[in-house]
Amino acid sequence: MTPDDKGVLPFQGFETWYRVTGRIGAGRPALVVVHGGPGSTHDYLLNLAGLAADGWPVVHYDQIGNGGSTHLPDAEPGFWTPELFLAELDNLVTRLGIADNYVLFGHSWGGPLAARHAAGRPTGLRGLVVANAPASYPLWRREAARLRAALPPGTDATLARHEAAGTTGSREYQAAMRVFYDRHVCRVSPWPRDYVASFYEIANDPTVYYTMNGPSEFHVVGTLRDWSVVDCLAGITAPTLVLSGRHDEATPATLQPFLDHIPDSRWVVFEESSHLPHLEEPERFTAVLRGFLAELAEEHSHA
């Protein structure tokens, strides 16, 4: 395997940080990893780089506003739109020279973003993985309310009180938030280092996350609150793998539209996981993803 190639790509007067593990153009499609948030970073998905050992070049990048990419803490809220991040993804794929041969892996917010990209039927897209992701934020908000109601007694009331008062930065809110996260986001204790790294990156510059999402995973009051990709899913022709955890905040109801509307789609559930099966059940996760990628390679070889 060649050493990692890291750098920045120009994008609309700003810069997108990227990292390539493996060698692009060696035969197999590049796997482009689209992280969640919006406003997180690539760090928590770093272990996907291990797939490069099988000959799949793996592309990580930080979406604009976070990590190694250009930070814009003073940008107007209207600057941060799904269209911005779709344009950034198009730019990345084009400038890295992989537009004719790639697979998308979209996690959480990255899932509907990757699905919207795939709905444009790019000719070089070989496959799509939608991991732990909602097809619509109205569905996500509805399911979050249901999951919150099932938390230990008093937890939801504490969360709601601080949300109403605008004191979501308080220690009491953060402690109650952690109850939800330990149940529905990451069930590994202590949290894996890669996940903690992304968690702190959001804390260091919460501009994008707070603007588009809100103060927590389950209190979506930002500009994404009514965003959905359900209306475009039928246009996706790439083979699609949908992943979720049994205890996931991305519940079956939030991802069902992917399965209902994408013609060539299948679903795998990780029984011991919540929102991060690549960290919670890494061995099975890698086996499942390797199996899907191998099928894509086989299909492409016969095309």
Side-chain angles (χ1 to χ4, degrees), residues 11 25 53 72 84 100 120-121 126 167 186 221 239 244 303:
F11 169 64
L72 296 157
L84 172 74
D100 61 345
R121 301 188 184 186
R126 306 297 173 212
T167 51
C186 185
V221 293
S244 69

Side-chain angles (χ1 to χ4, degrees), residues 2-302:
T2 57
D4 290 351
D5 170 31
K6 300 178 183 177
V8 293
L9 300 170
F11 169 64
Q12 295 187 7
F14 308 112
E15 290 182 334
T16 299
W17 179 93
Y18 74 92
R19 157 185 167 152
V20 179
T21 307
R23 191 157 63 88
I24 287 174
R28 287 187 159 175
L31 178 68
V32 179
V33 181
V34 187
H35 67 68
S40 187
T41 59
H42 76 284
D43 301 84
Y44 77 99
L45 292 161
L46 263 177
N47 68 354
L48 272 71
L51 292 161
D54 298 337
W56 303 92
V58 180
V59 178
H60 287 88
Y61 74 105
D62 286 336
Q63 294 162 24
I64 187 172
N66 288 86
S69 297
T70 304
H71 288 236
L72 296 157
D74 299 320
E76 293 294 324
F79 175 80
W80 305 109
T81 63
E83 290 71 29
L84 172 74
F85 294 102
L86 283 166
E88 182 183 35
L89 178 55
D90 287 342
N91 183 70
L92 176 91
V93 168
T94 300
R95 287 186 179 272
L96 288 180
I98 57 176
D100 61 345
N101 198 27
Y102 66 106
V103 177
L104 280 184
F105 177 98
H107 181 266
S108 199
W109 134 263
L113 188 68
R116 178 70 84 182
H117 174 94
R121 301 188 184 186
T123 56
L125 181 64
R126 306 297 173 212
L128 171 66
V129 183
V130 175
N132 317 91
S136 114
Y137 278 87
L139 280 176
W140 178 272
R141 289 189 287 116
R142 186 191 77 192
E143 289 295 284
R146 184 177 65 79
L147 295 177
R148 282 174 56 150
L151 294 174
T155 307
D156 191 26
T158 297
L159 293 168
R161 185 174 73 251
H162 285 288
E163 287 161 359
T167 51
T168 54
S170 70
R171 285 189 177 181
E172 188 180 36
Y173 184 85
Q174 298 296 313
M177 183 179 85
R178 183 67 188 250
V179 175
F180 182 98
Y181 279 49
D182 286 345
R183 185 177 288 197
H184 298 298
V185 181
C186 185
R187 295 169 71 87
V188 176
S189 182
W191 282 351
R193 183 180 62 183
D194 289 352
Y195 177 54
V196 172
S198 283
F199 197 81
Y200 280 125
E201 287 279 5
I202 295 175
N204 288 339
D205 186 351
T207 305
V208 182
Y209 189 76
Y210 282 10
T211 300
M212 297 184 74
N213 188 83
S216 66
E217 291 289 282
F218 49 77
H219 189 50
V220 181
V221 293
T223 55
L224 275 186
R225 60 177 283 116
D226 296 318
W227 191 59
S228 169
V229 297
V230 174
D231 62 345
C232 76
L233 297 178
I236 296 175
T237 55
T240 299
L241 174 65
V242 178
L243 306 176
S244 69
R246 179 63 64 195
H247 310 281
D248 207 329
E249 58 179 344
T251 66
T254 69
L255 54 84
Q256 189 62 46
F258 293 118
L259 302 167
D260 289 343
H261 298 292
I262 300 175
D264 184 1
S265 60
R266 72 193 80 167
W267 180 27
V268 174
V269 180
F270 294 85
E271 295 294 335
E272 305 302 322
S273 295
S274 54
H275 199 50
L276 305 170
H278 65 286
L279 296 176
E280 295 168 288
E281 295 180 66
E283 290 183 4
R284 181 170 181 238
F285 172 87
T286 301
V288 167
L289 196 51
R290 275 182 172 153
F292 178 67
L293 291 172
E295 284 185 36
L296 295 180
E298 183 71 16
E299 289 175 17
H300 188 49
S301 68
H302 292 138

